[in-house]
Amino acid sequence: MLEPLMCTFADFIIKRRLLVFLVITGITAFFAYHLTQLRVSTNFNELLPQSHEYVQVHNEFREVFGGANFLVIMVSVEEGDIFNADTLEKIRYITNELEGLPGIDRYKILSIASRKIKKQKITSWGLEAVPLMWPEVPKTEKEMEDLKNAIYSSERYYGMFVSLDSKKSLIFADFFEEELDYNAVYRELEKIRTKTEDDRTTVSIVGHPMHLGVVASMIDEMNMIMIGTGIVMPILLWLAFRSWISAIFIPFTAVVSGIWGLGFMSLMGYNIDPLIFVMPFLISLMAFRHSHQLYNRYFEEYVKTEDNLAGIRVIIEEMFLPGVTSIATDAFGLAIVAIAPIPVLQKMAIAGCFWCLVTIVIGLILTPIVLSYIPVNKTFLEHIHNQQRKNRERRGFENHFADWLAPFITGRGRYWVLGVVFVICCFSFYWSEQLIVGDAQVGSNLLYPDARYNIDSVRINKNLPLINPLYIVVEGEKVRSLTNRQVMADIKNFSGYMMRHSGAAGAQDIITPLMKMPQMFHEDDPKWMGLPEDQQTASTYLVGLIQSGDPGDMNKFIDPKLRQTNVVLYFTDKVGPTIERAIATAKEFIAGYSNLPDDFTYKLAGGVIGTEAAINEVVAAKQLQTLLLALTMVFVFCTVNFKSFKAGAILTIPLLISNWMAFAYMAMNDIGLSVSTLPVSAAGIGMGVDYGIYMLARANEEKRNNPSLSINEVLTITIKTYTRSVIYVAGTLVLGLFVWVLSGLKFQAQMGLMLAVILFLNCLGAVFLVPVLILLFKPKFLTHK
């Protein structure tokens, strides 16, 4: 039924190829224009699952208590301590310069040099709060001594803003998240570092604004790696075909695909996030793979007839439908990523789905049209004839390998293959269960351990581990409801429980300074520290504490209406297990130990840890669903194309195994499943099925051409004719992706190596496992007479 239709389609393409070529050229020009307007930037809100309860809490309170774009700067000295005019002046200079950064929340810049950090004392007028070190640094020995005493006498500052060895001091800042330009922030922070860092002083800077800025600043280097890959692949093609036309033509389709895909993203108003910058390149490789497959088959047919139109007819009639099936699986593999309610993934899924589908036009229609206009020079034709003689005489590595493989697979070797695959499945399944959702390593997982950002992270965590906050809000229904002593006691118990059981390295809340109030009113006698015994005194102390400073001084921890308060817990890292333990411990206390009144509630969760927890929970929940949907649709597409349930199983089983191997590889190399890696693993699903589809289609074609062949004979011919093509295509891609290992961005290097390994294993799966599964399932279209 489909054969006459494909003949008609081939006729249409051949007769109107110039018109089709001009139409494709016009569309390419249209998308190329829009490509010039594409932005490379990060929108933090697009990284968060907006429907998740933690993110909703984060959005509700980020302007009051602070968000996840949390910046920490540590000024440290090599000798002596920070209590000298030069170092304190640097702290003051950095604090003031931060106010000029784009997107910064000036009311949440905190350091010993900021106006909000105050020392409290009892005077005849009552409780008074004056800045620790504002607006100038101490100028006399007495002023310096007073500053030391004020810091050393308060645990709010000593161990929080100043390290216990007095050699380091922290500066905290928060940013508004709407349209934050991370690259601009990074450049300004580096200018501040350059002006303040010297042989005696080290300035360490960490946090989302710096981290994402570092990644954004490496775009040019990432582009150079992509260009390097684009240079290596044509060289490999020339070595395979001894033709510069093939070296230019096959990558040409990937370039056109890239123009269409990136132009579409710009047309839709999307931006490219540096965290998923590798995806456009991977999707463009789909057009490269299909073009390469068609190119190999075209010249195999051309040698028989030396008629380019006859070769084009064959590749359209025989390879178009398998190509469409393969592209459909690619598209669906990316499209289902959109089920994760994370805007950056949803936009990438929409763009990626369109991008894959246009590969039908670019890879399967444009390729044969352009081939019809490419002249075959005598040198290349001679190379092709020499290759054909090699094939007839069965010379060369690829022919020797195929000649060994065919009888091996059709003989007892199939049992060896099944045995090896079983061992690999067990090994991969075990390791895939160890895969961590979220960051798998301390510090930035996108950067190498020796990157300045990771060195700064280690340096701060060793001294003042306060760079990964978790915000948990306690909210009452009425104004001034936080004056309830029972609520104060519960918050105190909650903070203590979290410090004992969650792995937190520090905690801040409104209760700690409140507990200092009785001590201050009793000549600083430590035995008076604690919550007041009666409700009225507790209420008076809380109101007095809020009113003792300037408006907004306590906004980090309590709102002006005394209805909402923020409990901040600090963790040394934000790897998946740490986040999971923190959230689980908070839920455990709330469910089993909280004694809040009925009109109060704990709200989880904000800050760096809270937003990361939301992302991790969504990725973990959707990962299995994504995988099952992808495998199901691969099975459906392949079953429909070959009109055989057995064919669907033959092509889906290797994909499931390769997915296990990919997750095992990630677990063994400490690569977590995250917003950055989830779409790459989804793309790997589609990339893995191509070889099997084309091999099964070739076996089907050989059976149709000679129905008297047995299934063993069909497989023998298919292996001897198609194995070489699989090796060439996979070899070009694998060696090209190895260029990514040179990237200064660890994530890009890891993804390049992982994809190279996966593509190599998928190549082995197509060459070894697919033929064995064909023999095992014996699909009807390969066994009927």
Side-chain angles (χ1 to χ4, degrees):
M1 179 179 175
L2 290 175
E3 291 178 15
L5 179 63
M6 293 313 302
C7 289
T8 304
F9 181 67
D11 285 338
F12 175 84
I13 295 296
I14 292 171
K15 290 178 181 179
R16 293 172 175 79
R17 63 187 187 279
L18 180 58
L19 175 62
V20 176
F21 178 78
L22 292 176
V23 170
I24 293 175
T25 302
I27 297 173
T28 302
F30 171 78
F31 281 123
Y33 167 75
H34 285 282
L35 172 59
T36 60
Q37 304 169 37
L38 185 65
R39 295 179 298 113
V40 179
S41 62
T42 296
N43 184 333
F44 186 75
N45 287 328
E46 292 185 354
L47 300 175
L48 305 179
Q50 295 297 325
S51 60
H52 196 283
E53 60 176 317
Y54 301 164
V55 176
Q56 291 176 351
V57 170
H58 160 79
N59 290 336
E60 182 180 355
F61 296 105
R62 66 184 181 183
E63 293 186 6
V64 180
F65 299 132
N69 277 285
F70 187 67
L71 187 73
V72 180
I73 301 176
M74 186 175 77
V75 179
S76 57
V77 295
E78 297 297 325
E79 299 177 0
D81 56 37
I82 64 167
F83 296 107
N84 60 81
D86 181 55
T87 302
L88 294 178
E89 181 59 39
K90 288 179 179 178
I91 295 172
R92 190 188 72 84
Y93 171 80
I94 294 173
T95 303
N96 292 341
E97 286 297 304
L98 287 176
E99 294 185 2
L101 263 57
I104 199 159
D105 185 347
R106 297 182 181 181
Y107 293 99
K108 294 186 178 66
I109 301 173
L110 299 175
S111 76
I112 60 173
S114 65
R115 185 174 181 175
K116 289 183 178 296
I117 301 301
K118 298 178 178 180
K119 55 185 176 182
Q120 295 171 324
K121 58 183 180 181
I122 303 297
T123 68
S124 58
W125 297 94
L127 185 63
E128 182 181 0
V130 295
L132 273 180
M133 194 183 75
W134 182 87
E136 301 292 338
V137 302
K139 290 183 168 47
T140 66
E141 287 188 14
K142 183 180 183 307
E143 290 176 346
M144 189 70 75
E145 200 63 32
D146 288 343
L147 175 64
K148 289 182 181 180
N149 291 336
I151 291 174
Y152 290 153
S153 62
S154 174
E155 63 182 18
R156 292 173 59 192
Y157 311 131
Y158 190 45
M160 183 67 66
F161 287 93
V162 177
S163 63
L164 298 180
D165 62 3
S166 300
K167 289 180 176 290
K168 297 97 182 173
S169 181
L170 291 187
I171 302 168
F172 300 98
D174 218 312
F175 288 78
F176 298 112
E177 295 169 359
E178 287 76 10
E179 299 298 326
L180 180 59
D181 188 342
Y182 292 97
N183 211 345
V185 170
Y186 166 74
R187 290 194 298 268
E188 293 301 317
L189 288 173
E190 283 297 335
K191 289 179 183 178
I192 292 174
R193 194 206 306 261
T194 301
K195 290 183 179 180
T196 53
E197 196 169 56
D198 52 36
D199 294 340
R200 185 173 178 271
T201 309
T202 301
V203 178
S204 306
I205 309 174
V206 299
H208 269 320
M210 187 67 176
H211 179 214
L212 297 178
V214 171
V215 176
S217 71
M218 301 178 72
I219 289 295
D220 289 340
E221 183 177 346
M222 294 166 69
N223 280 327
M224 292 303 296
I225 293 297
M226 301 297 188
I227 292 171
T229 305
I231 293 172
V232 169
M233 284 186 173
I235 293 173
L236 295 172
L237 289 169
W238 182 87
L239 293 173
F241 295 104
R242 297 296 193 274
S243 167
W244 286 114
I245 291 178
S246 62
I248 296 171
F249 165 73
I250 297 176
F252 163 76
T253 54
V255 174
V256 175
S257 171
I259 292 172
W260 282 43
L262 295 174
F264 174 80
M265 292 185 71
S266 177
L267 189 64
M268 294 291 288
Y270 298 164
N271 60 291
I272 293 186
D273 194 304
L275 297 180
I276 55 172
F277 194 74
V278 300
M279 285 304 298
F281 189 84
L282 295 180
I283 300 172
S284 293
L285 283 182
M286 293 178 185
F288 176 93
R289 297 196 316 274
H290 294 288
S291 180
H292 199 171
Q293 298 271 14
L294 268 62
Y295 190 86
N296 290 340
R297 182 62 187 276
Y298 169 76
F299 281 105
E300 182 182 329
E301 297 300 326
Y302 181 85
V303 170
K304 299 176 184 177
T305 61
E306 295 193 6
D307 180 354
N308 60 346
L309 296 183
I312 289 168
R313 177 176 293 279
V314 170
I315 62 175
I316 293 176
E317 292 180 358
E318 299 295 343
M319 302 187 71
F320 185 80
L321 286 179
V324 169
T325 303
S326 176
I327 291 168
T329 61
D330 293 338
F332 194 83
L334 285 172
I336 57 175
V337 173
I339 66 175
I342 300 175
V344 69
L345 293 184
Q346 292 175 333
K347 290 181 177 180
M348 190 70 251
I350 294 170
C353 187
F354 169 83
W355 207 328
C356 292
L357 294 177
V358 301
T359 302
I360 296 173
V361 177
I362 296 169
L364 304 182
I365 296 178
L366 181 62
T367 296
I369 289 174
V370 176
L371 280 173
S372 71
Y373 290 110
I374 293 178
V376 181
N377 60 53
K378 293 181 178 178
T379 305
F380 181 57
L381 188 59
E382 184 180 347
H383 170 70
I384 294 294
H385 283 304
N386 289 335
Q387 190 66 43
Q388 287 295 102
R389 282 194 294 272
K390 275 181 61 179
N391 292 340
R392 286 195 300 269
E393 298 169 5
R394 309 309 294 168
R395 291 185 287 111
F397 164 75
E398 65 273 22
N399 288 320
H400 291 162
F401 175 72
D403 289 344
W404 167 81
L405 181 63
F408 176 78
I409 293 295
T410 56
R412 298 184 64 84
R414 74 183 79 172
Y415 304 111
W416 284 99
V417 171
L418 290 174
V420 171
V421 168
F422 176 76
V423 172
I424 291 175
C425 284
C426 295
F427 177 83
S428 299
F429 181 76
Y430 169 78
W431 275 103
S432 65
E433 291 295 301
Q434 315 303 314
L435 180 65
I436 290 176
V437 177
D439 288 350
Q441 293 177 312
V442 177
S444 169
N445 285 222
L446 303 178
L447 305 172
Y448 286 106
D450 60 352
R452 176 63 191 264
Y453 182 88
N454 279 333
I455 292 174
D456 284 351
S457 296
V458 172
R459 186 182 290 124
I460 294 176
N461 267 328
K462 284 176 63 178
N463 297 279
L464 295 161
L466 307 172
I467 62 178
N468 297 301
L470 167 64
Y471 299 157
I472 297 176
V473 177
V474 180
E475 184 179 53
E477 293 181 0
K478 300 177 182 178
V479 174
R480 298 174 68 93
S481 56
L482 286 175
T483 56
N484 188 323
R485 189 189 180 282
Q486 182 182 347
V487 176
M488 299 177 188
D490 203 73
I491 294 173
K492 174 179 176 293
N493 294 337
F494 175 71
S495 294
Y497 189 86
M498 292 294 289
M499 286 297 297
R500 290 191 301 273
H501 301 289
S502 73
Q508 280 185 310
D509 53 48
I510 195 66
I511 303 303
T512 303
L514 186 65
M515 292 170 62
K516 291 277 293 182
M517 297 282 286
Q519 180 179 343
M520 294 174 63
F521 281 107
H522 291 83
E523 299 181 348
D524 218 24
D525 188 345
K527 73 179 182 180
W528 285 94
M529 183 174 179
L531 285 177
E533 295 294 331
D534 62 279
Q535 171 63 40
Q536 184 176 357
T537 306
S539 176
T540 302
Y541 280 174
L542 179 61
V543 174
L545 178 66
I546 302 302
Q547 295 179 347
S548 64
D550 296 326
D553 279 359
M554 303 300 292
N555 280 2
K556 177 77 173 175
F557 302 104
I558 191 167
D559 76 315
K561 296 181 179 180
L562 306 187
R563 192 172 71 88
Q564 300 161 338
T565 186
N566 187 26
V567 179
V568 184
L569 297 143
Y570 295 96
F571 294 83
T572 56
D573 60 67
K574 55 185 182 69
V575 298
T578 297
I579 293 174
E580 188 177 355
R581 179 184 176 189
I583 297 297
T585 304
K587 289 181 177 180
E588 184 179 278
F589 177 88
I590 294 168
Y593 302 99
S594 175
N595 192 31
L596 282 179
D598 293 339
D599 56 344
F600 280 86
T601 182
Y602 283 98
K603 287 194 168 184
L604 303 178
V608 174
I609 298 296
T611 54
E612 290 286 338
I615 295 171
N616 292 354
E617 289 184 11
V618 166
V619 170
K622 299 301 181 182
Q623 177 267 323
L624 181 59
Q625 189 177 349
T626 300
L627 175 61
L628 292 177
L629 275 173
L631 294 175
T632 300
M633 292 313 299
V634 167
F635 177 81
V636 170
F637 286 137
C638 294
T639 297
V640 171
N641 180 70
F642 292 100
K643 296 184 282 294
S644 168
F645 288 105
K646 291 182 178 180
I650 289 168
L651 295 171
T652 305
I653 290 172
L655 208 54
L656 175 61
I657 296 171
S658 69
N659 194 80
W660 278 342
M661 289 192 293
F663 285 165
Y665 177 89
M666 292 171 67
M668 292 171 67
N669 289 274
D670 292 327
I671 303 173
L673 192 64
S674 64
V675 170
S676 302
T677 57
L678 182 62
V680 176
S681 64
I685 290 177
M687 294 173 73
V689 77
D690 291 356
Y691 307 126
I693 289 176
Y694 280 118
M695 174 166 277
L696 198 55
R698 185 59 179 269
N700 188 22
E701 180 188 346
E702 295 294 344
K703 180 65 176 180
R704 288 201 322 269
N705 291 340
N706 191 348
S708 64
L709 293 175
S710 67
I711 191 170
N712 283 13
E713 292 170 328
V714 168
L715 277 180
T716 299
I717 296 172
T718 302
I719 290 171
K720 288 186 176 181
T721 55
Y722 184 67
T723 300
R724 181 177 66 256
S725 179
V726 173
I727 292 172
Y728 281 176
V729 176
T732 304
L733 290 171
V734 168
L735 294 176
L737 286 169
F738 269 120
V739 177
W740 291 22
V741 176
L742 303 176
S743 175
L745 186 68
K746 177 186 173 185
F747 170 72
Q748 188 181 25
Q750 283 182 325
M751 291 300 99
L753 185 58
M754 184 179 81
L755 285 170
V757 171
I758 291 173
L759 287 175
F760 176 71
L761 293 174
N762 284 330
C763 170
L764 294 181
V767 170
F768 284 94
L769 183 57
V770 170
V772 170
L773 292 176
I774 291 173
L775 290 171
L776 187 64
F777 285 96
K778 294 182 172 60
K780 187 176 179 180
F781 62 85
L782 294 181
T783 57
H784 69 85
K785 295 297 182 182

